[in-house]
Amino acid sequence: MHARRQLAALALLAGLVAVPALAATDTQAPTPTRAELLAKSTAAEWRTPDPHNLLVMQLPSGRVLIELASDFTPLHAANIRTLVREHYFDGLSINRVQDNFVTQWDDPESTRDHPDPAKLKSLGTAKKALPPEYTHAINGKLPWTPLSDGDVYAPQVGFVEGFPAARDPATGREWLTHCYGMVGVARDIAPDSGNGSSLYAVIGQSPRRLDRNLAIAGRVLVGMPLLSALPRGAGPMGFYDKPSQRTPIQSVRLASELPPAQRPAVQVLRTDSATFAALLDAQRHRRDAFYQVSSGKVGLCSVEVPVREMTPTD
Amino acid sequence: MHARRQLAALALLAGLVAVPALAATDTQAPTPTRAELLAKSTAAEWRTPDPHNLLVMQLPSGRVLIELASDFTPLHAANIRTLVREHYFDGLSINRVQDNFVTQWDDPESTRDHPDPAKLKSLGTAKKALPPEYTHAINGKLPWTPLSDGDVYAPQVGFVEGFPAARDPATGREWLTHCYGMVGVARDIAPDSGNGSSLYAVIGQSPRRLDRNLAIAGRVLVGMPLLSALPRGAGPMGFYDKPSQRTPIQSVRLASELPPAQRPAVQVLRTDSATFAALLDAQRHRRDAFYQVSSGKVGLCSVEVPVREMTPTD
């Protein structure tokens, strides 16, 4: 197999490179690629996350950026900001990596069968319990971009400010969905026992059964491979059984509290933008030499909301 | 957070441990866990893969077992058996790992911009081109277990002998779906250019847009973490840009050609079994202390068809 053709085919698979259609006409122009569509986007179509909602988690391997979904889980966002300001996560670790499920980070002492209360890290002024923020009432104030392709789990799905979400008009409730890269709040059985001190990111097929059962704190914008490519834990549910396997967390900071030179310059494509709509349509309908059949559909969790990091010269 | 409760909650999350419901009655008995249901399965509910369909890929990190879907892609299965018998894959490598997409293995020379024909590994007696086996006619001979929960991408979905599949009654066609762990045949733009010498496994959210566009050779039964936890390639589309990053393939063998003592003893739960139906129902309806809301649904690619390895004492 000629590598250039293979790479071209693979690039089409990943939507990165345009290859002229074998019989292109004006009405059969090849589907624009993701790169082409993003290159044509306007500045107004990109949103800069509020630095008070942007967590910067520093690992030895690099930096993970997480945007808090403060419009959906405001109390959890506030509690996480408190923990972060008090440097709670510094020195903690990634303690659990379960294949096709989640990567979780928290106080390793809390993951033991019999945690020593004297060794558990203090939550400082952060709250130990929070009201469950699993769903909220649709209030008409948040921009809702529907996804018309349907969904197995929810009556309606769509996007709110870059976050994948679902709605049930019968109950008037709305919630965030457990797609790849979404960050949830681990808890005990008591619904108010999650407080943001233990967080997990989805690293496999979207576990949608968890929707409306846990609070979703936010979404990983940058750095997913630093969470998804870790060795899986050999203990039950993917917990590491050897402390040496745990990736240490050097620090977690709010972007707003970093010196400007260290603050990440990241933007998220607006999910109510024309470019975003064009991206979805390009996923549904593929006119190019590689695809034999267009799916005609795009699933909620198959959508990767574009993120770009600005370099200092931008 | 008390670790035992946290672990119990997390175990519930993973469906591993039963915790009595807070207000259990006979009609509100807790949902059985996956472990409980599998423990009650009968011997007849488990299928032993045909050893002629079972690939044993030996990596330095361990063994990956792949079952060929010879009822769907018989020509590709035959060609892969030829390649495997002629030890084609021995000494090749994992050359591409793209986050939330695929891990791919093949002749690294073939992945170069300008492969040296003298360095490409000979396919031996295997064919270089095969008819595209992307879908086949529904013929009534394969056991079809429908999944009634619906699907975004296909009119009907279900299972055939442990493989997730889809159907379109309007066209009378059936095909395998790109769920987590499914193994596909990489190809060039020409539909007949896939031959099984380059294979990929899905390691993230199911890329269902690929259904009906590539042949699916089979499914990883054992060893997914050996493919999913690898460092992501820094090159375009996740190709490794440094040869030292490629995981070497020590060997790939057919189970039928291994000495009995080395042959893996693995079984797959029959997807037309009562236990499998009970597992699906347990995913849809969760009556336990942790879950606030049952989804009532289960998505095709959210189903992990159970696999068990028999130890010599079994």
Side-chain angles (χ1 to χ4, degrees), chain B residues 58-313:
Chain B
Q58 189 67 49
L59 306 175
S61 51
R63 207 169 63 167
V64 179
L65 303 184
I66 295 168
E67 181 177 15
L68 296 177
S70 59
D71 282 326
F72 278 84
T73 46
L75 300 176
H76 286 78
N79 215 40
I80 289 168
R81 289 191 202 100
T82 299
L83 290 166
V84 168
R85 283 195 183 104
E86 296 180 2
H87 296 184
Y88 171 79
F89 290 99
D90 296 17
L92 299 188
S93 49
I94 295 174
N95 300 308
R96 171 190 184 197
V97 182
Q98 188 171 355
D99 193 64
N100 196 18
F101 195 41
V102 299
T103 287
Q104 182 170 320
W105 58 98
D106 38 30
D107 181 350
E109 187 64 30
S110 72
T111 69
R112 299 186 61 184
D113 280 347
H114 303 286
D116 181 344
K119 290 185 180 164
L120 283 171
K121 192 164 186 177
S122 166
L123 296 185
T125 67
K127 296 177 168 59
K128 285 183 174 47
L130 290 173
E133 293 183 302
Y134 305 158
T135 71
H136 68 198
I138 298 166
N139 59 19
K141 294 178 197 161
L142 298 175
W144 171 255
T145 304
L147 189 69
S148 57
D149 303 74
D151 185 71
V152 169
Y153 288 88
Q156 295 176 353
V157 289
F159 297 89
V160 178
E161 298 176 314
F163 295 98
R167 287 183 155 186
D168 185 354
T171 59
R173 306 294 292 184
E174 191 178 67
W175 58 92
L176 296 177
T177 53
H178 277 80
C179 295
Y180 194 87
M182 296 295 275
V183 175
V185 177
R187 64 168 174 88
D188 285 340
I189 288 168
D192 68 349
S193 58
N195 55 40
S197 63
S198 177
L199 298 170
Y200 60 88
V202 174
I203 62 164
Q205 179 71 17
S206 50
R208 297 287 303 281
R209 70 187 184 279
L210 301 184
D211 294 354
R212 294 181 285 172
N213 285 297
L214 292 115
I216 288 183
R219 183 170 90 97
V220 175
L221 300 185
V222 176
M224 266 310 290
L226 303 182
L227 303 175
S228 64
L230 294 170
R232 284 33 181 159
M237 292 166 293
F239 279 91
Y240 289 122
D241 53 4
K242 295 188 182 63
S244 59
Q245 296 170 319
R246 300 175 186 142
T247 298
I249 295 170
Q250 293 171 335
S251 66
V252 180
R253 296 286 179 271
L254 278 172
S256 55
E257 307 209 339
L258 289 173
Q262 291 177 32
R263 207 170 291 179
V266 66
Q267 291 189 310
V268 183
L269 189 71
R270 289 189 188 282
T271 42
D272 55 0
S273 68
T275 292
F276 185 70
L279 280 168
L280 296 184
D281 213 50
Q283 285 192 241
R284 293 182 187 105
H285 307 295
R286 293 174 185 272
R287 295 177 300 282
D288 60 50
F290 186 86
Y291 277 83
Q292 301 289 305
V293 180
S294 281
S295 59
K297 297 282 195 176
V298 61
L300 179 72
C301 292
S302 290
V303 177
E304 293 189 44
V305 179
V307 176
R308 68 181 183 186
E309 287 189 86
M310 320 302 286
T311 63
T313 55

Side-chain angles (χ1 to χ4, degrees), chain A residues 113 187-190 193, chain B residues 1-11:
Chain A
D113 281 347
R187 64 169 173 86
D188 285 340
I189 289 168
S193 58
Chain B
M1 183 180 311
H2 191 283
R4 192 177 299 148
R5 294 199 305 273
Q6 181 187 38
L7 279 174
L10 293 163

Side-chain angles (χ1 to χ4, degrees), chain A residues 20 40 49 55 57 70 81 83 106 109 116 128 134 137 168 170 184 189 191-192 203 219 247 250 266 276 288 291-292:
Chain A
K40 290 200 273 190
L55 302 184
M57 177 159 71
S70 59
R81 289 190 203 100
L83 289 166
D106 37 30
E109 187 64 29
D116 182 345
K128 286 183 172 50
Y134 305 159
D168 185 354
I189 289 168
D192 67 350
I203 62 163
R219 183 170 91 97
T247 299
Q250 294 170 337
V266 66
F276 185 70
D288 61 49
Y291 278 84
Q292 302 288 306

